[in-house]
Structure formats: C-alpha cells, structure tokens
C-alpha cells in the first residue's frame, strides 16, 4: 500500500530531524515546505520534498492536493470520549444561572454521568463511544487519550477500560488509555472519603493495572473532589503499578497540584484555568507538559488558561479538547486550535504546535506522532482548498478538512 500526495500548497510541521517537544519561543516556529509532495508506504512517512524532486515514485494511490494544506493529524491528549448519554439538562441549568459546583452539589455533574454509565450495557457504551470516535477522526484527530472516571465502582471502571481496549483494537486511531480512578466521590462515600481513597489505591488501581490496559493514572485534584493528600496517595499507588500521572489540576482552585504532579514525574498537568507564579516555577526544569483545555473554558464560562504566561516563561504548552458530557461536549480539535488563537492569544504556529507535537508528547507518543518526519506514522490531514494554514483557526467553526489518512489509510476518499 503506497500513497503519493502531490502539488501540496503547504506541507506543514516538516522536520528533517525528529522532534518530540517544542518549548517557549520555539513554539512560534512551524516549518513549512511550499509546493511539496509526501510519499507514504503502508503506515509510514517515507519521503517528502519540493515538487521539482517528485520523480520515480511508484504509488497505488495518487492524491492531487493542488491549493490544499497537508499537516499531521491532531493529537488530542485529554478526552473522556467513553461515556453514556448526555447532560443537556445541566446545560440548560447553567444557562439559567447555576454554576458547575451548584449543579454537582445537586447530584448532577460527574455523578450523573457515572449513574448513566453504570446503568448502560458495555455494548451500548461501546457503540456510543465508537460513533463519537469516528466523528473525531473525520475532523482530523489521529491519536487521542481516553480516560475512565465515569465508572466510580470496580465493576464500572473495569467496564470502561474494556470499552477503551476494544476501541483501541478496532479503530485505526492511536488510543492512549488513562485510569481516572479518582474523578469524584460517590454519594455512598460522601461522609467517608478516606474509604473511597483506600478502595482506589488498594483495590481499583491494582486490579486495573493487572489488565495492562491503562498507560497512565489521573486524579481530579480540586476542592470538593480530591485534595493534595488524596491525590498524592493516588499518584503513589499509580507509581507502584507503573502508571505515570496525567492529572486534572487548577481548574477552579490552586491547591498545589502542579508541584505535586512534577514531584511524581507527571507526563502532563491539565486544565490550568487558574495558575500562579509558583506553578510556573514548579514546571521549569521539569519533564511535565502543561495542557490547556479551551473548550471547557468556553462551555462552562470559566477563565481561559494564561497561555502567554506559560509560553513566555519558556515552557511548552499542549492544547486538547477535554471532550466530555459535562464541561466540553465537543472533541473538534479545529475549534480548539481556533479558540487557542482567539482566547489564549496563541499564534496559529503556536496553536498548531500545541495540537500536534506537544499533544503527542502529552500522551508519550511524540517519537512516532505529531510531525511530518521520515519514519513517523502517516496520520495526515488534507484540508479543503485554502491559501495558508492560518485559515484553519481563522475560519472558526468551519470544517477545514477534506480528507484524512490514518496509519497510511485514506478514510474519506
Ligand atoms: O475535565 N474536571 C473534571 N473532569 C472533567 C469534567 C467531567 C464532567 O463534568 O463530567 C473535565 O472538565
Ligand atoms: Fe477532563
């Protein structure tokens, strides 16, 4: 199987030497080859270059990309794609003035989705999730993380893990599973939170780890959910089972979760709608990727992550969708790239770096994903005709995508 894409107006995010992360002022650089070709064999990028050098390639499929942009697929490093049903009634409650915390205190929020998921069959959850996943792929996402966290019982968390495993086996997209054991405190543990923490650290994490499905462990470090001490217990239990942290921190309140994440070598710390100077200091000289989730800020009307403060301090930044039924019911990464430009004041170059190579880093897969580099996986977006890649975030809420290739396979011919 071989594909030659020729006459590409702009081939974006081209790196002769492999890269795995882009930081600080380097995020403004997005290498582009004008009037280029790209040659793919099986699932791998084999060659690229200017059109004048495009000779002698034997390809089963030839795509003429005249007037179109080609770039690596989006790498969405934070999603909750596996869930049951929806939370449209909470959406209306919020329009009528209730806050996220008020809705949660009425039994809504994460506990609402957990109940729905517990009451839905594994097959039905799989089918709902597969449909969402296929929509994401058509919108340009080629690799994504998926979290558990709407189970909150041993049985339901393992059910979620099995659904994620099945999606991973049957989808062409690269799926990175995370065990979000500590997402919320179930009603029956409200007055005995420590029992729930013990259940997570002593039963759920060990049993889930034995299945070897999850790569990472997550916790919602937030007032009313899991405090620093709880989160530390969960990260310790994760570490004992080789699960590196990727954690929810600083969504509404600053508890010190960023420094804690760095201490436990978190691959990423996500949300950061609130962030202070100590958080920035904690991230310097760490291997931890900060991740902004502008779709969540948009949907529940909370502050946007101060991307400038992060990038201008020399740090890297990734952006992700946070696709979930409560705070971000969209996984459209084209919108996320646009929101990063408009609301986080990132340039198109910074936003595209954040949604490709840095997103891949935040899933631990950037040696094989996130740039156009020989030997990397052929996960590729071909846009509709446009003059410049900046039109992707500029024409917000339009669909810029014409075709996608995942693992070298052309999906929408
Ligand atoms: O990332 N903040 C915690 N978790 C999700 C929301 C989950 C929900 O409301 O269902 C988030 O925003
Ligand atoms: Fe989330």
């Amino acid at each position: 199987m071989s594909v030659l894409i020729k006459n590409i107006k702009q081939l974006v995010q081209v790196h002769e030497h492999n890269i795995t992360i882009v930081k600080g002022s380097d995020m403004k650089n997005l290498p582009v080859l004008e009037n280029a070709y790209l040659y793919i064999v099986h699932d791998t990028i084999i060659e690229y270059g200017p059109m004048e050098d495009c000779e002698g390639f034997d390809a089963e499929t030839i795509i003429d990309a005249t007037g179109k942009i080609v770039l690596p697929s989006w790498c969405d490093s934070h999603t909750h794609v596996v869930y049951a049903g929806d939370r449209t009634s909470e959406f209306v409650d919020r329009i009528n003035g209730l806050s996220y915390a008020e809705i949660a205190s009425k039994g809504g929020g994460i506990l609402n989705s957990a109940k729905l998921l517990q009451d839905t069959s594994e097959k039905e959850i799989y089918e709902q999730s597969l449909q969402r996943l296929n929509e994401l792929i058509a919108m340009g996402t080629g690799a994504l993380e998926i979290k558990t966290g709407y189970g909150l019982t041993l049985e339901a968390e393992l059910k979620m893990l099995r659904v994620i495993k099945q999606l991973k086996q049957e989808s062409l997209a690269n799926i990175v599973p995370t065990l979000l054991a500590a997402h919320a405190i179930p009603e029956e543990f409200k007055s005995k939170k420590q029992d729930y923490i013990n259940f997570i650290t002593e039963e759920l994490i060990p049993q889930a780890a034995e299945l070897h499905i999850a790569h990472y462990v997550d916790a919602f470090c937030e007032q009313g959910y899991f405090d620093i001490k709880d989160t530390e217990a969960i990260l310790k239990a994760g570490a004992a089972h080789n699960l590196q942290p990727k954690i929810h921190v600083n969504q509404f309140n600053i508890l010190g979760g960023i420094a804690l994440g760095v201490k436990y070598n978190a691959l990423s710390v996500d949300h950061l709608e609130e962030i202070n100077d100590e958080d920035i200091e904690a991230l310097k000289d760490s291997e931890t990727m900060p991740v902004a989730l502008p779709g969540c800020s948009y949907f529940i009307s909370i502050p946007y992550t101060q991307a400038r403060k992060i990038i201008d301090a020399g740090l890297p930044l990734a952006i992700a969708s946070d696709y979930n039924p409560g705070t971000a019911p969209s996984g459209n990464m084209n919108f996320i790239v646009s929101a990063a430009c408009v609301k986080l004041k990132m340039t198109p170059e910074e936003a595209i770096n954040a949604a490709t190579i840095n997103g891949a880093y935040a899933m631990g897969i950037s040696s094989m994903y996130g740039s156009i580099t020989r030997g990397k996986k052929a996960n590729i977006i071909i846009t509709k005709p446009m003059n410049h890649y900046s039109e992707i975030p500029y024409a917000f809420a339009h669909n810029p995508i014409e075709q996608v290739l995942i693992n070298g396979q052309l999906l929408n011919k």
Side-chain angles (χ1 to χ4, degrees):
M1 201 178 64
S2 51
V3 180
L4 177 65
I5 311 175
K6 56 180 202 175
N7 300 322
I8 302 167
K9 189 172 175 71
Q10 292 184 317
L11 182 61
V12 175
Q13 190 66 307
V14 180
H15 288 268
E16 189 73 14
H17 300 291
N18 202 8
I19 51 157
T20 54
I21 190 168
V22 190
K23 298 180 185 181
S25 56
D26 287 345
M27 286 187 70
K28 284 208 159 56
N29 302 329
L30 186 68
V32 170
L33 207 54
E34 310 271 344
N35 192 24
Y37 73 90
L38 177 66
Y39 182 57
I40 292 160
V41 177
H42 299 301
D43 62 353
T44 305
I45 295 170
I46 298 295
E47 196 51 274
Y48 60 81
M51 267 317 285
E52 57 263 31
D53 296 345
C54 181
E55 273 173 24
F57 290 107
D58 180 20
E60 285 153 45
T61 306
I62 296 180
I63 300 171
D64 186 351
T66 300
K68 300 170 190 173
I69 315 291
V70 170
L71 66 157
S73 298
W74 305 128
C75 295
D76 188 353
S77 66
H78 181 138
T79 89
H80 309 248
V81 167
V82 172
Y83 61 85
D86 63 71
R87 305 228 299 267
T88 45
S89 64
E90 294 180 12
F91 171 54
V92 177
D93 286 345
R94 218 173 16 254
I95 293 169
N96 288 327
L98 290 188
S99 69
Y100 184 74
E102 284 163 339
I103 291 166
S105 69
K106 290 200 317 170
I110 295 165
L111 295 184
N112 184 353
S113 287
K115 168 120 193 43
L116 274 168
L117 185 127
Q118 288 160 11
D119 294 345
T120 306
S121 73
E122 191 162 327
K123 184 165 175 287
E124 173 63 24
I125 297 165
Y126 171 76
E127 278 161 12
Q128 288 184 19
S129 307
L130 181 64
Q131 192 179 338
R132 289 180 204 119
L133 180 59
N134 286 337
E135 281 171 18
L136 299 187
I137 291 170
M139 291 190 287
T141 298
L144 67 160
E145 185 241 27
I146 306 181
K147 300 173 189 295
T148 70
Y150 290 123
L152 307 185
T153 64
L154 182 65
E155 193 192 336
E157 282 291 306
L158 298 184
K159 178 161 84 172
M160 287 193 80
L161 274 181
R162 289 192 300 270
V163 169
I164 299 172
K165 182 180 179 189
Q166 200 183 345
L167 292 171
K168 189 173 167 63
Q169 281 167 344
E170 288 170 28
S171 173
L172 282 173
N174 186 355
I175 293 173
V176 176
T178 295
L179 181 69
L180 176 47
H183 200 190
I185 298 142
E187 202 53 52
E188 57 276 28
F189 288 94
K190 271 268 134 53
S191 56
K192 38 180 186 166
K193 187 178 70 169
Q194 191 54 45
D195 289 0
Y196 188 59
I197 313 277
N198 295 345
F199 156 70
I200 293 175
T201 56
E202 290 162 21
E203 281 183 61
L204 183 48
I205 290 180
Q207 290 203 37
E210 235 168 65
L211 298 175
H212 297 292
I213 300 171
H215 299 194
Y216 300 103
V217 69
D218 193 349
F220 186 17
C221 181
E222 183 57 62
Q223 253 172 43
Y225 294 83
F226 299 90
D227 63 21
I228 286 289
K229 189 172 136 284
D230 307 331
T231 306
E232 181 153 27
I234 283 143
L235 301 196
K236 262 193 188 149
H241 292 88
N242 283 324
L243 297 170
Q244 194 183 358
K246 272 175 70 64
I247 54 176
H248 283 75
V249 289
N250 292 35
Q251 184 174 3
F252 302 100
N253 295 284
I254 299 177
L255 306 185
I258 292 185
L260 182 74
V262 169
K263 179 176 164 197
Y264 283 85
N265 189 31
L267 181 60
S268 71
V269 285
D270 302 29
H271 270 288
L272 320 181
E273 287 86 345
E274 303 294 331
I275 192 158
N276 64 21
D277 291 344
E278 287 94 82
D279 294 329
I280 299 283
E281 280 312 307
L283 284 165
K284 285 183 183 166
D285 299 320
S286 81
E287 311 268 290
T288 301
M289 175 66 74
V291 180
L293 308 170
C296 172
S297 300
Y298 170 81
F299 190 69
I300 64 166
S301 304
I302 60 174
Y304 286 88
T305 302
Q306 294 177 62
R308 292 265 52 96
K309 192 177 165 96
I310 296 170
I311 297 172
D312 295 347
L315 294 171
L317 184 66
I319 53 175
S321 73
D322 195 18
Y323 190 9
N324 77 76
T327 66
S330 166
N332 184 346
M333 284 295 285
N334 306 292
F335 171 73
I336 298 301
V337 170
S338 183
C341 295
V342 176
K343 295 294 184 183
L344 275 60
K345 306 282 175 238
M346 294 168 72
T347 64
E349 293 75 22
E350 289 173 324
I352 292 173
N353 273 315
T356 56
I357 192 67
N358 284 358
Y361 179 96
M363 292 187 273
I365 58 170
S366 60
S367 63
M368 290 304 285
Y369 292 85
S371 66
I372 305 288
T373 302
R374 291 181 195 94
K376 272 191 160 173
K377 290 283 182 201
N379 277 12
I380 304 292
I381 291 172
I382 305 173
T383 69
K384 292 173 179 164
M386 59 178 73
N387 288 320
H388 194 274
Y389 59 78
S390 292
E391 283 184 41
I392 298 172
Y394 166 78
F396 78 96
H398 278 240
N399 175 12
I401 290 172
E402 189 159 283
Q403 288 178 307
V404 297
L405 285 100
I406 304 215
N407 281 335
Q409 286 193 38
L410 187 59
L411 296 192
N412 30 4
K413 296 187 183 159

